[in-house]
Amino acid sequence: MDEKYIKMKIAKLRTDKNISARELSLRLGQSTGYINTIENGKSLPSMGMFLCICEYFNITPEEFFDEENNEPALIN
């Protein structure tokens, strides 16, 4: 598991919820391009922001990193 996993997982959760990167950025209280910078591999979320992302998708950090679970939001 590496940085690529994090950006791909956020992108998958976002697209599964049918929300744009811009909208997710704004809902997290960030600038409009925040999620794009993560998904494009230019940055990683801080630990606090990572927890906010998990909270937004109603999943735990453990569920986020569970590579065998492709649909963690559906379990909840």
Side-chain angles (χ1 to χ4, degrees):
M1 188 174 311
D2 58 9
E3 293 175 8
K4 185 177 178 181
Y5 176 84
I6 294 171
K7 70 179 189 174
M8 290 174 54
K9 186 70 167 204
I10 291 172
K12 176 157 181 32
L13 288 166
R14 181 180 61 72
T15 56
D16 287 351
K17 192 162 183 161
N18 198 27
I19 186 171
S20 70
R22 180 183 186 282
E23 182 66 24
L24 178 56
S25 297
L26 294 174
R27 290 189 184 202
L28 294 171
Q30 301 298 310
S31 67
T32 57
Y34 177 73
I35 293 298
N36 278 329
T37 64
I38 294 169
E39 291 181 3
N40 292 329
K42 295 178 182 173
S43 69
L44 288 171
S46 67
M47 181 58 71
M49 191 52 58
F50 169 72
L51 294 173
C52 289
I53 290 168
C54 288
E55 184 178 320
Y56 176 80
F57 290 111
N58 196 32
I59 60 173
T60 66
E62 180 180 7
E63 290 168 328
F64 182 93
F65 288 110
D66 183 356
E67 292 183 72
E68 293 181 21
N69 182 4
N70 290 327
E71 307 288 339
L74 294 179
I75 291 174
N76 294 328

